[in-house]
């Protein structure tokens, strides 16, 4: 008899300023592994974001609209408290290069100390996106470089609207 897949909930937290194809690759794989995935956009990521919380959430929603078991939400405060409130068993994060490792392990161990029942799971980023970050995509775009295929079309459009005057020939 075939077993029902587990209906566990996972949270994919981040600043998503803006969401990239690297994020989406991780979210898609998490959606395959878990019954439900909550993309949790940090309201207070600690950095000065280019996009408002509402803009970041809207772009994430549009980019994930083809994934029926994925929802986009926002959170403030500790991510593990948010995960607890939502009944999530895991935080799923992408791990790019060695440079991510130290900070991510530091956060995972702190989160474990705060909430042992919320497990951090790292998915190694697809090699196509191993060099990609939101800030690098914004920088390349601003300087007139081509970011097609690195961010979803809606993000490229919003970047054009927001930074239309900067960069080259826009
Ligand atoms: O996309 P980012 O900027 O790498 O995401 C970082 C984020 C938002 C996941 C991280 O800063 C976070 O979890 N912030 C919430 C506050 C919190 O729980 N801090 C303690 C983590 S050990």
């Amino acid at each position: 008899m075939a077993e029902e897949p587990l209906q566990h909930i996972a949270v994919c937290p981040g600043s998503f300023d803006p969401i990239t194809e690297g994020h989406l690759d991780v979210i898609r794989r998490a959606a395959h592994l878990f019954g439900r995935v909550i993309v949790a956009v940090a309201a207070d990521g600690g950095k000065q974001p280019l996009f408002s919380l509402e803009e970041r959430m809207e772009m994430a929603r549009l980019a994930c609209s083809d994934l029926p078991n994925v929802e986009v939400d926002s959170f403030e405060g500790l991510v593990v408290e948010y995960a607890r409130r939502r009944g999530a068993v895991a935080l799923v994060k992408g791990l790019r290069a060695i440079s991510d490792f130290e900070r991510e392990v530091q956060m995972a161990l702190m989160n474990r100390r705060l909430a042992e029942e919320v497990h951090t799971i790292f998915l190694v980023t697809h090699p196509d996106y191993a060099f990609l970050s939101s800030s690098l995509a914004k920088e390349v775009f601003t300087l007139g470089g081509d970011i097609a295929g690195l961010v979803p079309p809606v993000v490229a459009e919003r970047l054009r609207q927001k930074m239309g005057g900067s960069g080259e020939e826009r």
Side-chain angles (χ1 to χ4, degrees):
M1 196 176 78
E3 296 215 356
E4 285 292 308
L6 290 174
Q7 291 302 305
H8 288 322
I9 300 171
V11 167
C12 287
S15 308
F16 302 107
D17 184 40
I19 193 163
T20 68
E21 288 294 342
H23 291 129
L24 283 170
D25 174 59
V26 170
I27 293 164
R28 273 192 209 103
R29 285 191 281 155
H32 187 70
L33 295 168
F34 287 86
R36 182 149 200 86
V37 170
I38 303 167
V39 176
V41 184
D44 47 4
K47 299 170 236 166
Q48 184 59 48
L50 173 67
F51 291 100
S52 70
L53 176 62
E54 290 68 31
E55 289 173 321
R56 286 180 281 141
M57 288 177 72
E58 196 206 352
M59 286 185 283
R61 263 194 202 110
L62 290 168
C64 295
S65 58
D66 62 327
L67 301 170
N69 62 335
V70 174
E71 79 173 82
V72 176
D73 194 12
S74 64
F75 76 101
E76 281 181 278
L78 289 174
V79 68
V80 286
E81 290 302 335
Y82 174 77
R84 269 182 174 151
R85 276 202 304 280
R86 298 299 313 264
V89 296
L91 302 176
V92 176
K93 297 181 131 193
L95 201 59
R96 282 167 302 191
I98 300 165
S99 52
D100 276 347
F101 189 79
E102 194 173 339
R103 176 159 166 69
E104 287 297 342
V105 169
Q106 194 180 19
M107 286 200 285
L109 292 175
M110 178 61 85
N111 283 331
R112 185 197 161 107
R113 190 175 187 281
L114 295 168
E116 205 166 342
E117 77 282 13
V118 179
H119 303 272
T120 298
I121 295 177
F122 293 120
L123 296 181
V124 176
T125 306
H126 191 290
D128 284 356
Y129 309 120
F131 57 89
L132 178 61
S133 67
S134 299
S135 39
L136 210 49
K138 284 183 284 193
E139 182 178 326
V140 169
F141 181 87
T142 311
L143 298 172
D146 183 13
I147 56 166
L150 299 180
V151 295
V154 61
V155 169
E157 184 53 37
R158 296 297 153 86
L159 278 167
R160 260 192 293 278
Q161 287 166 4
K162 193 164 278 277
M163 300 151 93
S166 54
E168 313 212 326
E169 300 280 322
R170 295 197 191 284

